[in-house]
Structures are given as structure tokens and as C-alpha cells.
């Protein structure tokens, strides 16, 4: 490596163990400061859906920099109006609030759910049911509904009234519902917690429980949304409609932006003064969102994921059949996980040494979340390297 890592790290709060410095991206590849090229099957944690060489996307940002970068939310801006329309159209929601990150979208969604339920039942305590192994972000509210204890416990007390059900276990959800439950929050496909897709029975069952009990269903589509699963949003595989969704990650394809969106009746619960953000939805961020939606449509990105998914699955399944330490392959679309007996960190590290970027999810899941423009040749290259690594590690 070129850069002195010790020196590079001296002024950061040490929350990440980093080794590589990337200086450039080209298509599906990242280039480090020694000029070495890596196949990127992590997309900056499911963000860079369009890869690194989309000229139309880059030009739209350059143009917006010249036009207008920031004005605050005291005024309308044209890209935000257009982006909100695109997001509503794609998700079946009616109204959007733009944020700067995923965690901030979760915060807004939780506030909206509490406020809405109290417009109908003022005495509701605002209790929330979340899922074990969920991940919703690092801010205090988002952390409160995150199902991994070691993320939460050092920072308690968090917001109260949160209980955790077992994902894909409808009875465990039912058992936690009380008259004070205002919201159920979950990912349509759990990412960070180990790539666990919801079963259709569970998704439909939770929707029905919410309807029967006047509970707001919040689906976190921050990682699994924006085409990653072969539908624009992962919930669209299940034939249900949530009350609130959160989006971020690939929403801006690299420009920091998130959003929460809701159906009309619920959205109306927030009125002027209830919520705000200085940057959220600024012209630069929402120009990125607009261009992302336009390119998705023009270049048939979601259809491409749907079309290539069987190929990716087949290749991963045949790898798993060959290597005993690969326990299971699971996921939807371009969001796949390999459960491995070999620690995921070791595999991810070995892959880096061979010029392949992967991400772990927990201790034993290798997470594959490539840019959505990945082609068969990239899947082949990844599988060839994974085959090599598992062969070496199993020897
Ligand atoms: C990444 C992620 C978040 C948090 O998003 P940030 O932008 O990092 O705050 C929330 N929920 C899910 C499902 C995520 O994958």
C-alpha cells in the first residue's frame, strides 16, 4: 500500500479497521493508491448501484453544482419536487421526507408512526416491535430498534418501549402486541443481520396483524430497496403495501441521501414544526436521486437484476455444493449471503488480497451486494476467486 496506514488513521476515532485506500472507480472496479484494480461486489455497502462510470449520473451532479447546491428546506427546490414524485411513483407511497442518511430516515419514520397513532388514540404509549438480528442504524432511535445487543448495550438507555420478536415467526410477533403498540418495524430482507429474506407467510401475516390492531407497518428498504432484489422495493415481491418505508443507500448512488415515505393519511400526522432537517433533500442530493430513477428506467436496471439472478444463484449454489464449509446460500436478487464455517472476515480479507471486494454480515455470512450493473463475467470472476479461497482454506 502507498499510504502509511498508521499515519492515515491517527486523526480518526478508531471505529473501523481499514487497510486499503481507494482513489478511483471504473465501472465494476475500484483502484487503490498503488494502481491495483479490485472487482467490487460490495458497492460501498449496497450504495453504488450504477457502478463508477455512469457519465450521465456524473454530469447531472456537475450541472447541479453549477446551478444550485443548497438553500435549506425553508424553500422548495425543483430537483426535490421531482425526486419526491419519482419515489412515490416507484413505492406506491404518497408523501416523502428527504433525510441525509438511513438512520435519519428511521428516526423520522418512528416519529411519524408515534404521532399518527396518537392522533387516533392519544393515550397510546408508542411502543414499538422490532426484530431480532435487525439493523436500522447507529443513532439513538435507530439503535433502539436494532436487534443486535452488542451494538445497543454500550449506549443504553435508549428509547423505551421497544421489544424484539423473532423474524419469520408470526406467533412471536403476535405475543408482543399490546394496546400500546404503535408500530412494527422490520427490514423486508434482513441485511446486516445475516441476509435473511422474509417468508411470504410472515410478511402477509405481519401486514394482517397491523391492520387488525391499528399498528403502523414500517418497512426498512434502505439496503434491500432500489432494485437490489429484482423489484424496485423488496416488499413488492410479497403483494403487500407497508404504511411507511425508509430508503437510503442506493437512493442517491453515492450522494448521501435518505428518505421516509408514507401513505397520505399517515403522512398528514406531521405538520409544520414537527420535524425538520437543514440539508435533507437539498438540490444536489435530490438531483442525484432524480438521475438515479431516470437511469434505472432508461437502462432497465431492475429488469437486469431480475434477469441475472438465476445465473448468480446457480453459480453460488454450485460453489456451495463443492465446498463443505459453505453451509447455505440465501437472499433475493443481487443481495445474497453465503453462510460459512470459515469466519467471514477471513474470507473477505483473503478476497481483498486477490483483488475482490466483498463484505461480511455478522461473523459467518459473506455478503454479496454488487453494483446492479454487474454482468455474468463479473459473477464468474467473483466465483472463480471464491472457489480458490475456499479450496485453499479447506485444504
Ligand atoms: C445501512 C442501513 C441503515 C442505516 O443507514 P445509514 O445511512 O448508515 O445511517 C438502516 N437500515 C438498514 C437496513 C441498513 O442496511
Amino acid at each position: 500500500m502507498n499510504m502509511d496506514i498508521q499515519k492515515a488513521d491517527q486523526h480518526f476515532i478508531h471505529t473501523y479497521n481499514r487497510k486499503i485506500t481507494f482513489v478511483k472507480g471504473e465501472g465494476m472496479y475500484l483502484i487503490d493508491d498503488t494502481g491495483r484494480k479490485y472487482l467490487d461486489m460490495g458497492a460501498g455497502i449496497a450504495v453504488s448501484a450504477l457502478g463508477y462510470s455512469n457519465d450521465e449520473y456524473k454530469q447531472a451532479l456537475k450541472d447541479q453544482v453549477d446551478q444550485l447546491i443548497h438553500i435549506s428546506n425553508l424553500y422548495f427546490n425543483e430537483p426535490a419536487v421531482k425526486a419526491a414524485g419519482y419515489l412515490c411513483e416507484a413505492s406506491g407511497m404518497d408523501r416523502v421526507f428527504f433525510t441525509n442518511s438511513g438512520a435519519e430516515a428511521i428516526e423520522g419514520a418512528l416519529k411519524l408512526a408515534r404521532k399518527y397513532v396518537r392522533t387516533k388514540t392519544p393515550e397510546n404509549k408508542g411502543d414499538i416491535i422490532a426484530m431480532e438480528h435487525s439493523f436500522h442504524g447507529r443513532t439513538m432511535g435507530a439503535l433502539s430498534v436494532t436487534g443486535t445487543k452488542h451494538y445497543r448495550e454500550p449506549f443504553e438507555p435508549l428509547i423505551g418501549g421497544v421489544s424484539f420478536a423473532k423474524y419469520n415467526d408470526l406467533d412471536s410477533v403476535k405475543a408482543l402486541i399490546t394496546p400500546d403498540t404503535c408500530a412494527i418495524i422490520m427490514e423486508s430482507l434482513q441485511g446486516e443481520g445475516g441476509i435473511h429474506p422474509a417468508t411470504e407467510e410472515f410478511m402477509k401475516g405481519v401486514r394482517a396483524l397491523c391492520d387488525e390492531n391499528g399498528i403502523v407497518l414500517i418497512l426498512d428498504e434502505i439496503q434491500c430497496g432500489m432494485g437490489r432484489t429484482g423489484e424496485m422495493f423488496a416488499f413488492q415481491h410479497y403483494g403487500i403495501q407497508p404504511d411507511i418505508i425508509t430508503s437510503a443507500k442506493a437512493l442517491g448512488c453515492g450522494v448521501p441521501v435518505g428518505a421516509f415515505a408514507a401513505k397520505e393519511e399517515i403522512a398528514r400526522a406531521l405538520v409544520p414544526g414537527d420535524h425538520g432537517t437543514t440539508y435533507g433533500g437539498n438540490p444536489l442530493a435530490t438531483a442525484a436521486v432524480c438521475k438515479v430513477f431516470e437511469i434505472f428506467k432508461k437502462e432497465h436496471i431492475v429488469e437486469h437484476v431480475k434477469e441475472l439472478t438465476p445465473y448468480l444463484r446457480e453459480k453460488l449454489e454450485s460453489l456451495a455444493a463443492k465446498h463443505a464449509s459453505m453451509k447455505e446460500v440465501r437472499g433475493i436478487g443481487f443481495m445474497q449471503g453465503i453462510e460459512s464455517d470459515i469466519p467471514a472476515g477471513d474470507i473477505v480479507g483473503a478476497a481483498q488480497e486477490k483483488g475482490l471486494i466483498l463484505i461480511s454480515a455478522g461473523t459467518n455470512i459473506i455478503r454479496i451486494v454488487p453494483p446492479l450493473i454487474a454482468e455474468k463475467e463479473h459473477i464468474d470472476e467473483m466465483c472463480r476467486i471464491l472457489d480458490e479461497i475456499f479450496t485453499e482454506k479447506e485444504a
Side-chain angles (χ1 to χ4, degrees):
M1 303 295 135
N2 239 353
M3 199 187 276
D4 178 342
I5 293 301
Q6 227 163 353
K7 192 159 175 243
D9 226 5
Q10 73 182 336
H11 292 304
F12 288 114
I13 293 176
H14 194 160
T15 55
Y16 289 96
N17 289 314
R18 299 183 269 220
K19 291 204 183 80
I20 308 177
T21 305
F22 285 123
V23 296
K24 195 173 159 45
E26 282 172 8
M28 285 286 299
Y29 293 85
L30 284 168
I31 293 129
D32 75 9
D33 57 349
T34 69
R36 186 172 183 196
K37 221 168 150 178
Y38 298 72
L39 173 63
D40 178 19
M41 298 301 268
I45 319 188
V47 168
S48 308
L50 300 173
Y52 301 98
S53 298
N54 195 298
D55 290 334
E56 194 183 331
Y57 170 77
K58 290 193 273 191
Q59 192 58 48
L61 290 179
K62 290 174 195 170
D63 292 346
Q64 191 59 48
V65 166
D66 287 339
Q67 181 77 33
L68 186 63
I69 296 175
H70 177 80
I71 50 165
S72 90
N73 280 303
L74 302 177
Y75 319 97
F76 283 119
N77 77 72
E78 289 172 341
V81 172
K82 200 159 139 193
Y86 284 151
L87 183 52
C88 285
E89 189 191 348
S91 64
M93 292 295 163
D94 297 315
R95 291 180 185 274
V96 173
F97 185 102
F98 286 112
T99 65
N100 307 290
S101 69
E104 206 187 322
I106 298 290
E107 300 290 331
L110 295 175
K111 283 177 70 176
L112 172 57
R114 278 193 170 165
K115 183 100 195 293
Y116 168 70
V117 167
R118 285 169 185 165
T119 60
K120 301 175 87 180
T121 43
E123 68 284 5
N124 184 288
K125 289 208 179 82
D127 290 352
I128 296 157
I129 298 172
M131 299 295 144
E132 289 178 7
H133 305 295
S134 64
F135 182 83
H136 299 292
R138 304 294 196 151
T139 56
M140 287 300 192
L143 199 54
S144 305
V145 292
T146 287
T148 308
K149 269 195 192 138
H150 72 258
Y151 288 163
R152 273 198 329 267
E153 282 179 347
F155 306 103
E156 289 173 348
L158 300 171
I159 65 166
V162 179
S163 55
F164 292 92
K166 286 194 168 58
Y167 198 66
N168 283 337
D169 179 343
L170 201 56
D171 287 336
S172 85
V173 179
K174 217 179 282 180
L176 294 175
I177 292 175
T178 74
D180 282 311
T181 306
C182 83
I184 296 177
I185 181 167
M186 61 189 204
E187 294 148 273
S188 310
L189 191 182
Q190 288 191 327
E192 184 76 26
I195 313 291
H196 296 282
T199 62
E200 184 159 348
E201 183 197 1
F202 184 65
M203 198 60 115
K204 289 196 159 128
V206 171
R207 176 69 272 180
L209 283 176
C210 288
D211 291 340
E212 287 156 23
N213 295 281
I215 296 167
V216 173
L217 176 57
I218 304 169
L219 290 182
D220 181 346
E221 291 268 348
I222 289 169
Q223 187 163 166
C224 60
M226 292 305 291
R228 180 149 298 281
T229 63
E231 292 285 350
M232 200 59 181
F233 291 97
F235 73 78
Q236 290 163 341
H237 289 281
Y238 297 88
I240 60 132
Q241 187 70 28
D243 301 308
I244 303 176
I245 63 160
T246 55
S247 180
K249 291 202 163 90
L251 180 63
C253 280
V255 172
V257 61
F260 62 100
K263 301 299 285 181
E264 177 71 21
E265 187 201 343
I266 292 168
R268 268 201 309 254
L270 289 182
V271 298
D274 277 345
H275 197 54
T277 164
T278 301
Y279 285 138
N282 86 10
L284 182 63
T286 49
V289 175
C290 287
K291 197 40 87 177
V292 167
F293 276 108
E294 285 161 11
I295 293 170
F296 265 54
K297 191 166 193 175
K298 205 167 75 181
E299 297 183 10
H300 308 288
I301 299 289
V302 182
E303 293 79 359
H304 172 75
V305 172
K306 196 175 247 172
E307 207 175 289
L308 245 67
T309 294
Y311 187 79
L312 172 61
R313 288 286 313 182
E314 230 169 78
K315 295 287 280 191
L316 291 174
E317 295 283 3
S318 68
L319 267 186
K322 184 175 169 191
H323 296 285
S325 53
M326 285 192 189
K327 287 291 154 209
E328 194 189 2
V329 178
R330 55 175 184 257
I332 312 176
F334 279 11
M335 186 165 170
Q336 298 288 333
I338 302 169
E339 191 171 328
S340 153
D341 279 345
I342 302 164
D346 293 359
I347 303 292
V348 170
Q352 257 173 41
E353 280 166 26
K354 290 178 186 286
L356 168 66
I357 299 298
L358 294 168
I359 315 175
S360 58
T363 53
N364 67 334
I365 313 292
I366 300 145
R367 178 167 25 165
I368 299 160
V369 286
L372 304 185
I373 57 162
E375 297 287 353
K376 284 183 181 171
E377 69 202 70
H378 306 115
I379 295 169
D380 292 347
E381 187 180 345
M382 171 185 74
C383 288
R384 182 183 53 73
I385 296 172
L386 275 174
D387 187 21
E388 251 176 58
I389 293 169
F390 274 90
T391 304
E392 285 164 18
K393 299 263 181 207
E394 284 175 352

